[in-house]
Amino acid sequence: METSLFSATLAQLEPALTCAPPLCEEAPAEVRWYAAYTSANHEKRVAQQLTWRSVEHFLPVYESVRRWKDRRVPLQLPLFPGYVFVRLALRDRLRVLAVPGVARLVGFDGRPTVVPAEDIEAIRACLEGKRDVQPHPYVQCGQRVRVLRGPLAGFSGIVLRQRNRTRFVVSFDVLERSVSVELEGTELFVER
């Protein structure tokens, strides 16, 4: 009698088990960049775990000097606090989500959102050289410009002045974050 009860229960569950498509069929196999949202101040630990797990990732950092009571300490801080970029096929997302300190992949309506490769290249271009790069509040309005010459040629962003210096702000819509870079003698073209 127990066997027939088990068989009846299994017969009821079996169609549900066989009809559900596997995760790998619904998830694209194309390798793309995504933003992983991390616990507070866990970005470097998450990046280390991703290295150990052979997951391609990118943690942009900037130099900051902090004053303590008796000394100044140079620190490398995440350019986007709370985020680490990962490059993977969406079907492999569990390799990232299983990392301690990763909360989720940034997305909308429960689906991870792709970070355009151009945005990753823009971040890398900002970090190259001896430029003073620092986080900047996300800018929603202002004058958009395109850089005509220099290492950031072709990138669009917003220009603002800060302490008699010209700074170029590049906004990343997926994260709703921005980065500002100090410009010297770079020609800008106003976009309309």
Side-chain angles (χ1 to χ4, degrees):
M1 187 144 139
E2 290 177 23
T3 310
S4 63
L5 181 61
F6 177 73
S7 298
T9 306
L10 185 59
Q12 290 174 346
L13 292 176
E14 192 172 307
L17 294 174
T18 57
C19 293
L23 280 176
C24 60
E25 282 184 11
E26 63 183 45
E30 190 173 345
V31 176
R32 295 187 174 183
W33 285 102
Y34 297 93
Y37 184 67
T38 67
S39 300
N41 300 318
H42 280 69
E43 301 88 356
K44 290 181 182 178
R45 286 188 207 122
V46 166
Q48 186 179 44
Q49 284 283 326
L50 291 170
T51 300
W52 290 342
R53 295 172 189 229
S54 300
V55 175
E56 185 178 354
H57 65 280
F58 175 50
L59 175 62
V61 293
Y62 71 102
E63 290 277 331
S64 177
V65 177
R66 299 294 166 106
R67 270 174 72 194
W68 292 355
K69 290 180 183 178
D70 59 340
R71 64 186 183 272
R72 292 175 180 248
V73 178
L75 298 174
Q76 284 200 335
L77 300 173
L79 191 56
F80 300 103
Y83 297 94
V84 175
F85 298 101
V86 293
R87 187 168 183 260
L88 53 94
L90 197 52
R91 68 174 179 216
D92 298 331
R93 66 183 174 261
L94 290 178
R95 292 176 60 199
V96 173
L97 295 174
V99 172
V102 173
R104 65 182 179 274
L105 294 179
V106 175
F108 302 99
D109 296 329
R111 310 273 307 158
T113 302
V114 174
V115 176
E118 296 81 26
D119 287 357
I120 299 296
E121 292 308 314
I123 296 168
R124 287 188 171 156
C126 289
L127 294 172
E128 285 179 5
K130 300 293 181 191
R131 298 191 177 280
D132 175 28
V133 178
Q134 57 184 308
H136 190 276
Y138 184 69
V139 179
Q140 294 182 2
C141 59
Q143 194 171 18
R144 292 199 58 85
V145 297
R146 180 176 301 276
V147 179
L148 296 178
R149 294 188 185 152
L152 299 176
F155 290 115
S156 295
I158 299 170
V159 170
L160 56 97
R161 285 196 150 312
Q162 182 179 10
R163 292 186 223 125
N164 296 327
R165 294 179 179 170
T166 302
R167 296 197 68 86
F168 177 66
V169 179
V170 182
S171 297
F172 302 98
D173 296 329
V174 172
L175 298 179
E176 291 189 355
R177 302 283 177 137
S178 298
V179 174
S180 67
V181 180
E182 188 173 321
L183 293 180
E184 295 178 10
T186 306
E187 289 190 32
L188 303 173
F189 172 77
V190 178
E191 293 182 340
R192 298 191 190 256

